[in-house]
Each structure stands twice: as structure tokens, then as C-alpha cells.
């Protein structure tokens, strides 16, 4: 018996050892680089090693593709880059190849190529080529996921054949960051996606129960005598714009340049000189009645590309740079101003980032915005003056991020805003730890941050901390987290923070499946509980629990349902807007939402959701909130896609602070009915993978109608109907009306032509309309009619960007000499 168990132990250890053996690709140098045309008749491929026998990881785990759907990959290299050829065998009718723009996966098969020159499992560089010929690329790390804002310039070509499709790729060394070594071992992975069945396979098998795909990279050996190139690229641009509004026509011409320069083998400088963001997408503006600002996604490419290091600790909200001015106008009696600038002009911005072979990430970011003034006129004397509302300002970020253990990191980050003169300066420093054990099964986080701001009047320090631990692998996962911030913690000069002064506990448990069952390919069920307090004073503010279920069916439909219950009294210290001196009580709020996202592979697909929420045991028996969304998708063919959208959100008997009305030390609340409606259209016609016509349209309408009665917030957090104030008597202005009709319209129609690698021409037409009134009783037709009575802003712009690589210039000059 003892010998039997000894034998079992030996077998188990042997199997474990075999499971950990990674495949190796032995690459060979070529003196005859292949032509990137999708035809595999080049001499370079004749004696190259073949990587095949891919293993499935979604939806089934461990399956091997049948022979008629197999993948064969070859690689070679020379002094300029690495070449890859992939023969993707498949039944011709099963290949999906929707044409999309760069980094848009759409409904198309793809072949993925992943490099990790440091072989550290944490810093992958990913390149994807779709069966349509479209490219996508990203940098990836387990700490921040995939960043498709990163873009490189590389070559690829796709050719359809009777038994599948072929892709050829050249990755120039300028697209990779690596140190010069005599006999390096790089991480490598090949990834195949069959869009019709959503099957995904890799050459080196992945254990999806433990995440961090970089741990399962294969090894690339055989690269010899290559040197990191001079990584210097220029992106000169020119743009022209003509805009008409309110009977006036404005025109503008701009020219500038973006630069990428490799300071060392691992550090890269990115700079934008005289930046132009005239074609940045519009923001999804909403009517904001709450105590917190609205957060917008970044639309400017320089601030979306390669910012992974600067996102550590959630201290960087790039929209702060070049946003609205931080100062306020000080108007005297009988003074008026002509125009308040919507934006502050960005003068230039640079970022330096990279990671050493030892895993040390280094990041430096700097941006400068110009001084902004407003012209003020005395209406009686005609005397003019100007006031600075935003001085010359400097924004800085410094990051040191040391990775270790192939899945963990410790980070020191500092953000700083320095404004000229007597304006506010701010500084935030954070120390972060993300720790995962070597088996990638358990993890812990720890963070501590300090904020400092000072202006003429005051100087304050604030603090926050976070600790958490949990199991992050297998079917059953769980975690517990504690978050703390004092009332002085403030990162809003360069970050975004909706609230401070909290002391919160959170616990989560989830169960997920990874392999298909009878109905679902995979499922997820999670539940949580939160217990929230103020940090100062240490008092209870609320608690909630909830659940979330989602899954993908065997027919590739995704669906889910979630719910949340705020049990007991909830003490809101933010809605009264007087610091933490008052609170507003709600009690026992419950909501639930169900959604479905049908199979996008079909001609017609639908994203839909339906939700309902209400208060229990509250004084408002008639309060409820119902919302729904319908987003049908029409894939007319592989080139033409259109998505329609309609979202509806209705609040009945909602109560909240009446903006700006703090009367005789009394905080006034109103009861209101609110309806939000959003209609949208997005469409694209891709002539091929280089030419596209796109449409983006959004019309947002929000109406708010207050009851005549107003309420006074009591010291106990309850509301009492006022015997003095009504809807029309809470303001000294006899024409004051708190009702709102807020209506916006945005339409963008653009044509994009990528006429050379990294080079692009974009023509854009933009139409914008805005209306704000008190006619909250107007129906949709009447509101739309009123909207079109407003002045429209029509803008036409043309922008040309051209990619120039220093190495290409150098080679041309060599040939000429």
C-alpha cells in the first residue's frame, strides 16, 4: 500500500511538471525578408518552425481544433523586425469578416500575436489582425488589463483562400521595448478567435480559472545580434475648421506635431506640440441635479494612449487638463461680461514612460495650460477690465512601479498642480501594493494616499487608506475590503473624487463556471454587502446588499439580472450641500434590473434592459423609478452596421435639494417628477479596412417638474412641508421657476482614410443644438420643436496626420549617398 501511494505521488508530481512545461519557438534569421502580401511563397518560410496544435480555452477548456480548423504559425526575423505567417484553416462559410475601423473587433475572426520581451508575464504587447484585414493593438498587464488606446505602426496583410485565411505580419522593432541581450528569451503567445462560435484557442494552453494570461506565455528563443532601433517617430498634422453660429462664421487653421522618441531602450518620450483636439468626440452631457459633478470619458488621443502607468491609484482624470477654468468671476455692481470661455487652452504636453528589464516602471507626465482671462464691462461708465480666471498652470505626474513575482507590484505615485499667482496649488502622493501569491490564487491590496492643497486662505492635508484580501481563482471567489478617507482628502485638481469622509466595509462572494453546461457556456453569480460610515464623526450612514447573475447561452446570447437593497435608514450627508452638518434620510430602497444582449453575429441583434426601483417604509408611498433601454443592431452586410438606441428613465415623487436655494439658514427641498430620454444612432460603412464613413447622433431630453409645495430639511434628517415657501416664492426673483426642460442635440458625420501606415485623413461635419427652458410640461414633439428654434452650430473640419519614421529617412539618405 505504501508503494502504491508513493507511485501515485510520483505520477502526480510528474503530471504537474509536465503541465508547467511551456512550448518553445526556435526562431531563425532570414536574409530574404518575406513580402507582406498574404502569399506564403517566400523563401523565408521554407525552413521555419511550425507552431500548431492550439488548445481551446473558451467556451470549452482543453479541446483541440479539428484538422480543418487548425492553425499553423511560422516566424522569422532580420535586423528590422519580426515576421509572422499564420495559416488559419477553416470552412469558408464559417469565417466572419465584418469590416471595422482600427481597434474595433466587430464580428470578425482574428489572429492575435502577443510579445513579452522581458518574459515577466506582466507586460504583454498585443497585435491582432482580423479576417477583414483590420488591425488592433494594445499593451496589457494584470494590474490594469488591456489598453487599446496604445497604438503602434506595423504591417499586415490578409488573403482569403479556399480552406481558410492567411495573415502575414511584420512587427518592426520600434513597436517593441526591449533591452539588448546576447541570447534573450522572450515571452510569446498565438491567439485564434472563431467569431461564429466564439471559440478561442492559444498555442500555449491557458488556465482560465486563475487569470493573468501572461503566466502562460510560451518562450521565444533564437533571436541573436539585434539592437533596439532609434525609436524616433514624427506625426505632423494640419487641420482646418469652419464654424457658423448665430449668423457669424469663424475659421481656424492649426498645424503641429506629435513626437515619439526612445530616450533609452525602455523609456519613451511622447510629446504633443501645439495640440489640436478640434475633432474630439462630443460628451454625453446630462442634466445634473445631484451634489457631484458629471464624469466624462476622455476623447483626446494623446490622453488615452499609453497612460497605464499614470492611471495607478485612480489619481489621474485627464479631463482636468484643458477643462473649465478653476476661478470665479468677481463682478461689481453694474458690471457684465461678454463671454466665459468653455475651455482652457492646452499649450503642450509630454509623457515619458517605460519599464526596465528588472521590472521597474518609470513614468513622468507634464502639461501646461495658458492663462485665461474674461473681459468685463461697466454698463454705466463703459469702463473695461479683465480678470484672470485661470492662470498659467503646470500639471505633473511622477510614477515608480516595481513589479515582482510575475503578478505583483508596488507603486509610488505623485500628482502635482502648480498655478501661477494666488490660485490654488495641489499635491497628492500615494503608495500602493498589489500582492498575489505565486500560484495566482490569493491576493491582497494595500493603499495609502495623502493630499495637500494650499491657496491664499488655507492649507490642508487629507488622507485615505485601503486594504483588502481575497481569493481570485477557481469557481468560488471571495474578498473583503476596508476603505477610509478623512474629510480633507481631495484629489480633484488632477483626479476625480465624488465624495470623501468615509469609513466603509465591503464583502463579496461569487461563483462562476468556465465550461459549457446544458444551457449556458458560462455563468457568474455574485453577492455583496456594504456597511458605510462617516470617518468624522464616526457615525453610520447606510448599508446595502445585492446580487448579480449573468451568463452566455449555448446560442451566444448574453443575459443577466441584478438587484440592490438599501436596508434600513440611509443618511445622505451630501444632498444638503452644507458640508457634513446636515443629512437627508431615505429608508429601505430596493431596485432590480434585467438585461439581454443577443448574438451580434446575426443580421438583427438587440441590447435591452428593464429596471424598477421603489422605497419601502418611507413617507413617499408613491415614489418609484422605472427605466428601460432598447438598442437594436442591424448588420446589413460585412461593411454596413447601424445601431439605434432609445433609453427612458422616469422618477416619480423624487425629492432633492432645490439648486441654489439656501434661505435664512434653511435648506429647501422640492418634490419633483423627472423624465430622461435619450435617442441615438451610430452607424458605419467601411469600404475596406482603410476607408470608413461613420455617423454618431445623440438627442438627450430631460424634464423636471416640481410640486408647488416645498419642504424644509429638519435636524433629524426628515422633511417638513413649508407653510411659507412654494415653488414660486423660494426666490426673490418673481419670474423664478425651478422647472427644467434641458435638451441637447449632437451629430457627427465623418470620413476617415488611412492612406499609409500611421497616416490618416479625416473629414468631419458636426451639428450641435442646445436648449434650456422652464417648459417642463412640454411633450417630446413640443420640446423638439423648441429645440430647432435655437441657433445651430455647424462645423466642418479637415485634419491630416502623416507618420514619419526616422529610420526610414536614414535608410533613404544612405541609399542616396
Amino acid at each position: 500500500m505504501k508503494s502504491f501511494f508513493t507511485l501515485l505521488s510520483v505520477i502526480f508530481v510528474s503530471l504537474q511538471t509536465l503541465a508547467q512545461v511551456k512550448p518553445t519557438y526556435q526562431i531563425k534569421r532570414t536574409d530574404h525578408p518575406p513580402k507582406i502580401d498574404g502569399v506564403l511563397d517566400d523563401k523565408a518560410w521554407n525552413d521555419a518552425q511550425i507552431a500548431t496544435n492550439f488548445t481551446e480555452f473558451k467556451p470549452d477548456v482543453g479541446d483541440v481544433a479539428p484538422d480543418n480548423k487548425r492553425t499553423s504559425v511560422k516566424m522569422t526575423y532580420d535586423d528590422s523586425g519580426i515576421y509572422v505567417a499564420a495559416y488559419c484553416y477553416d470552412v469558408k462559410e464559417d469565417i466572419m469578416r465584418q469590416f471595422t475601423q482600427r481597434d474595433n473587433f466587430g464580428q470578425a475572426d482574428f489572429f492575435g500575436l502577443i510579445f513579452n520581451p522581458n518574459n515577466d508575464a506582466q507586460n504583454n504587447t498585443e497585435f491582432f489582425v482580423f479576417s477583414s484585414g483590420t488591425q488592433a493593438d494594445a499593451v496589457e498587464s494584470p494590474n490594469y488589463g488591456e489598453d487599446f488606446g496604445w497604438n503602434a505602426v506595423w504591417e499586415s496583410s490578409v488573403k482569403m483562400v479556399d480552406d481558410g485565411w492567411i495573415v502575414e505580419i511584420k512587427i518592426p522593432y520600434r513597436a517593441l521595448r526591449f533591452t539588448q541581450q546576447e541570447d534573450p528569451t522572450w515571452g510569446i503567445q498565438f491567439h485564434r478567435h472563431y467569431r461564429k462560435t466564439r471559440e478561442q484557442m492559444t498555442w500555449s494552453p491557458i488556465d482560465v480559472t486563475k487569470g493573468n494570461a501572461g503566466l502562460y506565455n510560451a518562450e521565444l528563443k533564437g533571436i541573436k545580434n539585434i539592437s533596439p532601433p532609434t525609436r524616433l517617430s514624427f506625426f505632423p498634422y494640419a487641420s482646418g475648421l469652419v464654424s457658423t453660429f448665430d449668423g457669424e462664421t469663424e475659421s481656424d487653421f492649426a498645424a503641429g506635431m506629435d513626437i515619439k522618441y526612445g530616450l533609452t531602450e525602455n523609456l519613451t518620450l511622447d510629446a504633443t506640440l501645439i495640440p489640436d483636439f478640434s475633432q474630439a468626440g462630443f460628451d454625453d452631457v446630462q442634466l445634473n441635479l445631484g451634489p457631484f459633478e458629471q464624469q466624462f470619458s476622455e476623447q483626446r488621443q494623446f490622453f488615452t494612449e499609453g497612460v497605464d502607468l499614470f492611471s495607478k491609484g485612480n489619481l489621474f482624470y485627464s479631463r482636468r487638463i484643458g477643462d473649465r477654468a478653476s476661478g470665479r468671476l468677481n463682478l461689481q455692481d453694474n458690471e457684465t461680461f461678454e463671454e466665459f470661455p468653455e475651455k482652457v487652452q492646452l499649450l503642450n504636453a509630454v509623457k515619458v514612460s517605460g519599464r526596465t528589464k528588472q521590472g521597474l516602471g518609470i513614468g513622468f507626465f507634464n502639461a501646461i495650460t495658458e492663462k485665461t482671462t474674461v473681459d468685463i464691462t461697466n454698463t454705466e461708465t463703459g469702463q473695461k477690465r479683465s480678470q484672470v480666471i485661470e492662470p498659467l498652470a503646470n500639471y505633473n505626474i511622477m510614477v515608480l512601479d516595481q513589479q515582482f513575482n510575475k503578478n505583483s507590484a508596488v507603486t509610488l505615485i505623485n500628482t502635482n498642480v502648480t498655478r501661477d499667482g494666488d490660485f490654488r496649488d495641489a499635491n497628492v502622493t500615494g503608495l500602493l501594493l498589489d500582492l498575489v501569491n505565486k500560484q495566482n490564487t490569493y491576493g491582497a491590496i494595500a493603499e495609502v494616499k495623502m493630499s495637500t492643497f494650499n491657496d491664499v486662505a488655507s492649507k490642508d492635508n487629507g488622507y485615505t487608506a485601503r486594504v483588502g484580501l481575497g481569493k481570485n481563482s477557481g469557481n468560488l471567489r471571495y474578498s473583503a475590503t476596508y476603505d477610509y478617507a478623512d474629510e480633507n482628502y481631495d484629489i480633484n485638481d488632477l483626479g476625480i473624487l465624488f465624495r470623501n469622509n468615509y469609513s466603509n466595509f465591503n464583502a463579496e462572494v461569487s461563483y462562476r463556471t468556465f465550461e459549457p453546461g446544458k444551457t449556458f457556456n458560462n455563468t457568474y453569480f455574485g453577492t455583496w454587502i456594504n456597511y458605510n460610515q462617516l470617518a468624522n464623526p464616526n457615525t453610520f450612514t447606510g448599508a446595502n446588499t445585492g446580487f448579480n447573475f449573468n451568463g452566455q447561452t449555448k446560442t451566444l446570447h448574453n443575459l443577466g439580472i441584478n438587484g440592490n437593497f438599501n436596508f434600513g435608514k440611509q443618511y445622505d450627508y451630501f444632498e444638503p450641500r452644507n458640508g457634513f452638518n446636515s443629512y437627508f434620510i431615505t429608508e429601505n430602497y430596493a431596485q432590480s434590473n434585467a438585461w439581454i444582449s443577443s448574438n451580434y453575429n446575426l443580421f438583427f441583434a438587440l441590447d435591452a434592459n428593464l429596471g424598477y426601483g421603489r422605497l419601502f417604509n418611507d413617507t413617499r408611498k408613491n415614489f418609484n423609478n422605472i427605466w428601460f433601454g432598447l438598442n437594436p443592431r442591424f448588420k446589413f452586410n460585412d461593411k454596413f452596421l447601424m445601431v439605434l438606441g432609445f433609453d427612458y428613465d422616469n422618477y416619480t415623487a423624487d425629492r432633492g435639494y432645490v439648486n441654489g436655494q439656501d434661505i435664512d439658514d434653511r435648506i429647501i427641498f422640492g418634490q419633483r417628477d423627472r423624465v430622461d430620454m435619450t435617442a441615438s444612432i451610430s452607424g458605419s460603412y467601411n469600404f475596406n479596412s482603410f476607408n470608413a464613413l461613420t455617423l454618431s447622433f445623440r438627442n438627450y431630453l430631460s424634464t423636471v417638474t416640481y410640486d408647488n409645495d416645498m419642504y424644509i430639511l429638519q435636524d433629524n434628517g426628515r422633511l417638513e412641508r413649508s407653510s411659507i415657501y412654494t415653488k414660486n416664492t423660494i426666490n426673490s426673483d418673481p419670474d423664478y421657476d425651478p422647472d427644467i426642460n434641458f435638451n441637447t442635440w449632437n451629430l457627427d458625420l465623418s470620413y476617415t482614410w488611412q492612406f499609409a501606415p500611421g497616416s490618416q485623413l479625416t473629414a468631419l461635419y458636426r451639428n450641435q443644438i442646445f436648449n434650456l427652458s422652464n417648459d417642463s410640461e412640454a411633450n417630446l414633439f413640443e420640446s423638439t420643436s423648441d429645440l430647432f428654434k435655437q441657433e445651430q452650430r455647424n462645423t466642418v473640419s479637415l485634419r491630416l496626420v502623416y507618420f514619419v519614421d526616422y529610420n526610414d529617412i536614414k535608410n533613404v539618405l544612405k541609399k542616396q549617398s
Side-chain angles (χ1 to χ4, degrees), residues 551-563:
Q552 183 186 75
T553 68
K554 302 280 285 186
T555 52
L556 304 182
H557 302 306
N558 293 279
L559 52 87
I561 185 171
N562 56 67

Side-chain angles (χ1 to χ4, degrees), residues 3 10 89 150 174 179 219 235 246 298 373 387 485 505 524 531 534 555 584 711 718:
S3 300
V10 170
Y89 292 87
W150 178 85
R174 66 166 179 264
T179 56
E219 293 184 338
F235 295 83
D246 197 17
E298 181 59 78
T373 61
Q387 180 187 329
F505 297 86
Y524 169 90
Y531 183 87
L534 287 185
T555 52
F584 169 54
Y711 299 83
R718 300 295 188 176

Side-chain angles (χ1 to χ4, degrees), residues 22-95:
K22 297 181 177 182
T24 299
Y25 193 96
Q26 195 71 35
I27 195 170
K28 296 181 180 179
R29 176 184 283 272
T30 182
D31 295 324
H32 305 281
K35 182 180 179 182
I36 306 302
D37 57 4
V39 180
L40 305 185
D41 58 357
D42 306 276
K43 183 179 180 181
W45 304 128
N46 290 345
D47 58 350
Q49 177 184 337
I50 300 175
T52 189
N53 296 324
F54 281 41
T55 303
E56 186 174 345
F57 68 91
K58 280 185 181 180
D60 290 295
V61 177
D63 289 357
V64 177
D67 191 62
N68 66 340
K69 288 180 173 288
R70 70 188 187 277
T71 309
S72 297
V73 183
K74 296 181 179 181
M75 299 181 71
T76 186
Y77 76 102
D78 63 9
D79 289 334
S80 63
I82 297 178
Y83 304 85
V84 180
Y87 203 123
C88 302
Y89 292 87
D90 205 347
V91 179
K92 197 168 187 179
E93 292 74 19
D94 290 345
I95 302 172

Side-chain angles (χ1 to χ4, degrees), residues 709-750:
D709 292 330
M710 291 288 125
Y711 299 83
I712 298 175
L713 182 66
Q714 306 298 302
D715 291 340
N716 63 0
R718 300 295 188 176
L719 297 178
E720 181 179 287
R721 182 178 281 107
S722 172
S723 60
I724 302 174
Y725 305 111
T726 63
K727 179 165 72 171
N728 300 117
T729 62
I730 56 174
N731 191 291
S732 58
D733 183 355
D735 296 325
Y736 175 77
D737 185 350
D739 292 347
I740 302 171
N741 183 306
F742 181 89
N743 205 344
T744 66
W745 167 293
N746 288 280
L747 183 147
D748 279 8
L749 179 64
S750 67

Side-chain angles (χ1 to χ4, degrees), residues 623-666:
F623 171 86
N624 63 73
N625 176 207
I626 185 169
W627 66 93
F628 67 86
L630 294 172
N631 294 271
R633 302 170 59 93
F634 301 91
K635 186 166 71 73
F636 295 99
N637 52 47
D638 287 337
K639 296 181 177 182
F640 185 21
L641 173 70
M642 179 169 289
V643 181
L644 308 180
F646 182 78
D647 294 281
Y648 177 88
D649 196 353
N650 187 321
Y651 291 87
T652 301
D654 182 33
R655 287 182 179 177
Y657 181 81
V658 182
N659 292 355
Q661 308 308 316
D662 188 350
I663 304 170
D664 299 329
D665 295 325
R666 295 177 176 180

Side-chain angles (χ1 to χ4, degrees), residues 80-151:
S80 63
I82 297 178
Y83 304 85
V84 180
Y87 203 123
C88 302
Y89 292 87
D90 205 347
V91 179
K92 197 168 187 179
E93 292 74 19
D94 290 345
I95 302 172
M96 299 194 67
R97 56 193 311 259
Q98 181 189 8
F99 290 87
T100 59
Q101 292 183 285
R102 186 186 178 97
D103 291 332
N104 186 342
F105 279 60
Q107 284 70 63
D109 292 25
F110 71 69
F111 171 78
L113 171 66
I114 295 93
F115 286 105
N116 191 315
N118 285 349
N119 199 24
D120 58 10
Q122 296 199 78
N123 297 283
N124 290 331
T125 306
E126 304 177 333
F127 304 91
F128 301 93
V129 181
F130 303 95
S131 52
S132 61
T134 302
Q135 296 180 344
D137 46 23
V139 289
E140 186 272 336
S141 169
N143 299 119
Y144 52 78
E146 292 176 305
D147 177 13
F148 283 94
W150 178 85
N151 287 308

